[in-house]
C-alpha cells in the first residue's frame, strides 16, 4: 500500500509540473494552432499517467480528473476558450485547480434583457436535455448554487457504513441485490471523493467545486436525469468542446439539432468506455456504449413525446415518473453497465484495496500513538 501511495504522489507531482508548464505557455504563446502544438504533448502524457497506478480507485479517479476534465479543458485552452482562459490574471494555483477539478469560476455579469422568442428557442433547443433548462424542468440559480449540508453527507456516510457491512452477507444475497448495492456504492463513493476535493479546493484556494451530481434519486425523467442531475460538469465541457464546434462544421450536412446531438453522444460514450478501460485494463466489450446509446434513443423518444404528442399538456406526478425513471436506469445498468464491471472483478479488487488501506491506516495509527506515548 505504501508503494502505491508513493506512485500516486509521483503521478500527481508530474501532473502539477505539466499544468505549470501549460500555465507558462499561456503567457508566452498565442492561442490557436501554435498553442495547441505546445499543449498536445501534455494531453498525450495525461492519457498514459494513470496507467502507472495499480489501485482501481486511484487509477480511475486520476483518469477522470486528468484524461477527461484536464484534457478537454486544455484543448479548449489551446484555442482561447473555456474556464482556463476566462481570467487573464489567473494565478498558478487556480489554473491547476480549474484544469483538473470540476470547477468553473462564476462571472458576475449584469443581467441582460432577453427577447421572449429567443428565450423560448433556448428552452426548447436541441441541448435542452443536456443543460436541463426546459419547460418541464426549469433550473433556477438557487438550485445550481446550493451547497450540500454537512448533515446530508453525514447521513450518506452512515448509509455507506451500513452498505459496507452488508457485503459480509453477500453469500446469502441474490446477484441482482448485490448489483443494486453496487449502484449505491458507486454513487456514495463519487460523492465522497468529490466532497474531499471540494474541501481541499475551498481550504487552499477559496473556490467552490460545481456539484457533479444533484440527488439522482429525485429525478423525474431521463431528460431530468441526464440534463440536471448526472455528470453536470462533463455536460458543460462537452457542450463547449464538442457541441458548439459541431454547429459550425456539419450543420449544413445533416441539420443542426441532430448533428450536434449525435457528435456529443459519440464523444461522451467513447470517453465512458475509456474510463472503464482505466478501471479494469481489459479490452473494451462495448456494452457501456450500448448502455448509453439505449439511453440516448429513449431520451430522444421522450423529448419527441413531450414536444409533439403531449405538448406539455400532460405530466406524470413524481411518485410515478420518479420510480419509473430510476427503475429504468437500474435495470439497464444490470443489463449493460455492470457486466463488464464485474467481468474484470472490479468489486473483488476494490475490496482487497479496502482491506489493504485499513491495515495501512491501522499501522500508521499505531506508529503515531507509539511515537507520542
Amino acid at each position: 500500500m505504501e508503494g502505491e501511495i508513493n506512485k500516486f504522489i509521483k503521478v500527481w507531482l508530474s501532473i502539477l509540473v505539466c499544468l505549470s508548464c501549460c500555465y507558462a505557455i499561456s503567457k508566452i504563446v498565442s492561442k490557436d494552432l501554435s498553442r495547441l502544438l505546445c499543449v498536445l504533448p501534455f494531453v498525450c502524457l495525461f492519457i498514459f499517467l494513470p496507467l502507472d497506478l495499480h489501485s482501481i480507485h486511484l487509477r480511475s479517479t486520476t483518469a477522470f480528473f486528468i484524461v477527461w476534465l484536464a484534457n478537454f479543458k486544455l484543448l479548449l485552452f489551446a484555442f482561447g476558450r473555456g474556464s482556463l482562459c476566462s481570467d487573464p490574471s489567473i494565478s498558478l494555483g487556480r489554473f491547476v485547480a480549474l484544469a483538473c477539478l470540476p470547477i468553473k469560476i462564476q462571472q458576475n455579469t449584469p443581467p441582460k434583457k432577453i427577447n421572449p422568442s429567443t428565450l423560448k428557442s433556448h428552452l426548447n433547443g436541441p441541448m435542452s436535455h443536456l443543460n436541463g433548462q426546459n419547460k418541464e424542468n426549469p433550473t433556477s440559480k438557487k438550485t445550481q448554487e446550493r451547497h450540500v449540508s454537512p448533515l446530508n453527507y453525514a447521513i450518506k456516510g452512515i448509509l455507506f457504513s451500513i452498505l459496507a457491512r452488508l457485503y459480509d452477507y453477500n453469500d446469502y444475497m441474490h446477484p441482482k441485490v448485490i448489483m443494486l448495492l453496487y449502484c449505491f456504492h458507486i454513487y456514495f463513493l463519487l460523492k465522497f471523493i468529490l466532497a474531499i476535493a471540494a474541501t481541499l479546493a475551498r481550504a487552499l484556494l477559496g473556490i467552490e467545486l460545481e456539484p457533479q451530481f444533484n440527488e439522482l434519486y429525485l429525478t423525474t425523467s431521463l431528460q431530468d436525469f441526464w440534463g440536471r442531475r448526472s455528470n453536470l460538469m462533463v455536460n458543460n465541457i462537452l457542450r463547449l468542446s464538442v457541441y458548439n464546434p459541431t454547429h459550425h462544421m456539419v450543420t449544413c450536412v445533416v441539420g443542426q439539432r441532430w448533428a450536434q446531438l449525435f457528435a456529443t453522444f459519440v464523444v461522451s460514450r467513447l470517453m465512458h468506455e475509456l474510463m472503464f478501460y482505466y478501471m479494469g485494463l481489459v479490452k473494451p466489450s462495448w456494452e457501456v456504449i450500448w448502455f448509453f446509446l439505449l439511453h440516448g434513443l429513449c431520451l430522444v423518444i421522450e423529448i419527441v413525446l413531450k414536444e409533439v404528442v403531449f405538448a406539455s399538456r400532460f405530466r406524470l406526478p413524481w411518485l410515478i415518473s420518479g420510480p419509473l425513471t430510476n427503475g429504468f436506469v437500474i435495470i439497464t445498468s444490470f443489463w449493460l453497465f455492470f457486466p463488464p464491471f464485474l467481468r474484470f472483478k472490479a468489486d473483488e479488487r476494490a475490496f482487497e484495496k479496502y482491506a489493504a488501506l485499513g491495515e495501512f491506516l491501522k499501522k500508521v495509527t499505531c506508529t503515531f500513538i507509539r511515537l507520542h506515548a
Side-chain angles (χ1 to χ4, degrees):
M1 191 65 194
E2 294 181 30
E4 185 69 8
I5 292 177
N6 290 334
K7 284 185 178 180
F8 180 72
I9 294 173
K10 291 178 181 178
V11 166
W12 274 95
L13 286 176
S14 302
I15 294 169
L16 293 177
V17 171
C18 292
L19 291 176
S20 299
C21 293
C22 292
Y23 178 78
I25 289 172
S26 68
K27 305 299 182 182
I28 58 178
V29 181
S30 60
K31 61 183 180 181
D32 294 332
L33 184 59
S34 56
R35 186 183 292 184
L36 176 63
L37 294 176
C38 294
V39 168
L40 274 180
F42 301 109
V43 172
C44 296
L45 180 61
F46 282 178
I47 294 175
F48 293 100
L49 276 178
L51 299 177
D52 289 338
L53 301 171
H54 298 294
S55 168
I56 185 172
H57 288 89
L58 298 180
R59 185 172 61 242
S60 57
T61 303
T62 301
F64 173 72
F65 283 145
I66 67 171
V67 179
W68 195 320
L69 294 185
N71 274 355
F72 275 88
K73 290 182 180 181
L74 287 177
L75 291 175
L76 288 170
F77 158 78
F79 294 96
R81 300 175 182 174
S83 57
L84 295 180
C85 298
S86 59
D87 181 8
S89 61
I90 188 173
S91 65
L92 174 60
R94 288 203 169 198
F95 182 91
V96 171
L98 280 173
C100 57
L101 294 177
I103 299 172
K104 184 178 69 175
I105 295 178
Q106 303 294 331
Q107 301 294 334
N108 297 321
T109 56
K112 298 180 180 179
K113 293 183 179 180
I114 302 177
N115 188 293
S117 61
T118 304
L119 177 60
K120 183 177 180 180
S121 173
H122 280 291
L123 294 179
N124 295 318
M127 288 299 285
S128 61
H129 70 282
L130 290 179
N131 59 29
Q133 294 177 350
N134 53 70
K135 293 182 292 184
E136 180 185 352
N137 298 308
T139 305
S140 65
K141 185 175 181 180
K142 181 178 180 182
T143 301
Q144 290 179 340
E145 296 181 354
R146 68 181 179 85
H147 304 297
V148 180
S149 66
L151 178 61
N152 187 294
Y153 282 112
I155 293 173
K156 287 183 172 64
I158 294 173
L159 293 176
F160 188 76
S161 300
I162 296 173
L163 182 65
R165 296 299 301 171
L166 289 175
Y167 288 131
D168 295 337
Y169 306 95
N170 56 10
D171 293 337
Y172 306 98
M173 296 182 191
H174 192 276
K176 300 297 183 184
V177 176
I178 296 176
M179 283 195 285
L180 181 62
L181 296 180
Y182 289 163
C183 290
F184 292 105
H185 185 124
I186 294 173
Y187 173 67
F188 289 144
L189 187 63
L190 290 175
K191 291 286 287 187
F192 292 143
I193 290 174
L194 292 171
I196 293 171
T199 302
L200 292 175
R202 188 183 307 116
L204 298 177
L205 301 170
I207 52 182
E208 295 288 345
L209 266 69
E210 288 188 336
Q212 271 290 98
F213 300 96
N214 181 17
E215 310 301 343
L216 299 180
Y217 49 85
L218 296 179
T219 185
T220 58
S221 64
L222 287 177
Q223 192 175 5
D224 180 46
F225 182 87
W226 292 112
R228 292 184 59 227
R229 300 189 181 277
S230 177
N231 285 347
L232 303 182
M233 190 62 183
V234 167
N235 286 343
N236 181 60
I237 290 177
L238 290 174
R239 177 177 59 81
L240 294 173
S241 60
V242 180
Y243 185 83
N244 290 345
T246 306
H247 170 73
H248 305 288
M249 295 172 57
V250 294
T251 292
C252 58
V253 180
V254 294
Q256 175 179 341
R257 179 169 188 170
W258 301 115
Q260 293 169 306
L261 181 61
F262 177 76
T264 305
F265 263 93
V266 168
V267 173
S268 176
R269 303 329 143 205
L270 289 174
M271 290 304 299
H272 276 90
E273 194 72 52
L274 181 60
M275 291 301 106
F276 259 69
Y277 174 77
Y278 281 114
M279 292 177 66
L281 298 181
V282 295
K283 183 179 179 180
S285 61
W286 310 115
E287 288 167 287
V288 177
I289 284 185
W290 284 112
F291 169 83
F292 287 105
L293 286 177
L294 174 62
H295 276 252
L297 176 62
C298 293
L299 180 58
V300 170
I301 294 173
E302 179 184 280
I303 293 173
V304 172
L305 287 175
K306 289 177 182 177
E307 294 182 354
V308 179
V309 179
F310 299 117
S312 299
R313 292 190 299 268
F314 175 75
R315 181 179 177 184
L316 288 173
W318 177 81
L319 288 177
I320 297 177
S321 64
L324 283 176
T325 304
N326 283 300
F328 178 77
V329 173
I330 291 173
I331 290 172
T332 52
S333 297
F334 289 176
W335 177 29
L336 294 171
F337 192 83
F338 281 113
F341 179 81
L342 299 175
R343 197 173 297 127
F344 55 75
K345 299 182 179 180
D347 52 342
E348 297 179 11
R349 292 160 64 181
F351 293 143
E352 291 175 359
K353 293 298 180 181
Y354 290 153
L357 178 61
E359 291 297 324
F360 175 74
L361 293 176
K362 182 179 179 181
K363 180 180 177 181
V364 171
T365 303
C366 293
T367 304
F368 179 82
I369 293 175
R370 186 168 59 252
L371 290 174
H372 292 80

